[in-house]
Amino acid sequence: MIPSHEPHAVPGTERGMMVVVVGPSGAGKDTLMALAARHFRGRHDVHFVRRVITREHDAGGEDHLAVSDQGFVSMEQAGSFSVWWEAHGLKYGIPAEISVSLAAGNLVVANGSRSALHRFQAVFPRLKVINVTARADVLATRLEARGRETHEDIMARLARGPLTVRGNYDVVDLDNSGSLEEGERRMVEVLTDCLAEVG
């Protein structure tokens, strides 16, 4: 079992900005992050985090470092994560070395979870949250296309899952109900604004 402890602020990271992208399944946050990473490729001041996750590397979705449960525990005990959390039976970790990039005044972008935002806030002095959402009918269509759940299960999940971020965070809402091009343009705009804040 992973020992429970509260995260604490990382000294020296206040120069840069930590951006955490959150959103419900089907909102398209993974896709928008991949497109934004391609757009900013080659820039030394924008860093997209490769998460450590206890799932197979070829399980689909984002490019991540796959580890076993025991491997994750060992990494956590060694101080390898700045933030980690559990969701849907998996463990997720943000590598501690991102503090170097933040200390250099860079923008660091990570795929996160609304349930873990308090952990990010405790660690990173400058935190921005991008909440990727979409209309309920769009979410339902995208989730049905995955074929993992029945229509009834999807509608029940959407009915009980709020699309907003609760808590005292600096949040930018990004509606990704439209075309992929529109979503990419908006994501790039938000991150460009974040860069201007850091600069």
Side-chain angles (χ1 to χ4, degrees):
M1 178 178 292
I2 296 180
S4 176
H5 66 267
E6 288 301 313
H8 55 276
V10 179
T13 60
E14 61 275 356
R15 286 193 60 204
M17 179 183 289
M18 184 74 203
V19 178
V20 182
V21 183
V22 300
S25 295
K29 65 174 184 173
D30 291 339
T31 300
L32 293 187
M33 287 186 67
L35 291 170
R38 183 182 66 183
H39 176 86
F40 289 103
R41 183 181 298 142
R43 289 194 59 149
H44 72 278
D45 54 351
V46 184
H47 174 66
F48 285 81
V49 177
R50 187 179 186 221
R51 298 193 296 182
V52 178
I53 309 176
T54 55
R55 71 177 174 207
E56 296 299 323
H57 183 266
D58 57 358
E62 69 183 282
D63 175 30
H64 65 280
L65 176 61
V67 299
S68 65
D69 283 323
Q70 186 54 51
F72 193 98
V73 170
S74 297
M75 292 180 72
E76 195 282 326
Q77 292 175 341
S80 299
F81 304 129
S82 56
V83 175
W84 66 267
W85 67 97
E86 297 184 55
H88 311 298
L90 299 173
K91 299 180 180 69
Y92 300 81
I94 303 296
E97 57 261 30
I98 66 167
S99 61
V100 175
S101 188
L102 288 167
N106 298 332
L107 191 71
V108 176
V109 186
N111 193 333
S113 169
R114 285 172 291 180
S115 65
L117 285 177
H118 65 288
R119 291 175 174 255
F120 283 92
Q121 189 175 57
V123 173
F124 303 110
R126 301 182 70 183
L127 177 68
K128 179 85 70 174
V129 180
I130 300 178
N131 182 38
V132 179
T133 63
R135 298 192 315 270
D137 60 309
V138 173
L139 291 175
T141 298
R142 291 174 182 170
L143 291 173
E144 286 181 10
R146 294 180 180 180
R148 301 174 188 170
E149 301 172 275
T150 66
H151 176 77
E152 291 73 20
D153 289 340
I154 290 170
M155 297 312 294
R157 174 141 69 99
L158 292 177
R160 66 175 179 266
L163 301 181
T164 56
V165 171
R166 295 176 178 175
N168 186 27
Y169 304 107
D170 184 0
V171 182
V172 176
D173 289 310
L174 194 163
D175 188 331
N176 191 34
S177 301
S179 69
L180 200 56
E181 291 76 18
E182 291 171 344
E184 178 184 6
R185 177 184 58 78
R186 179 64 178 138
M187 176 65 87
V188 169
E189 285 179 351
V190 173
L191 292 177
T192 300
D193 288 344
C194 291
L195 274 170
E197 288 186 45
V198 173

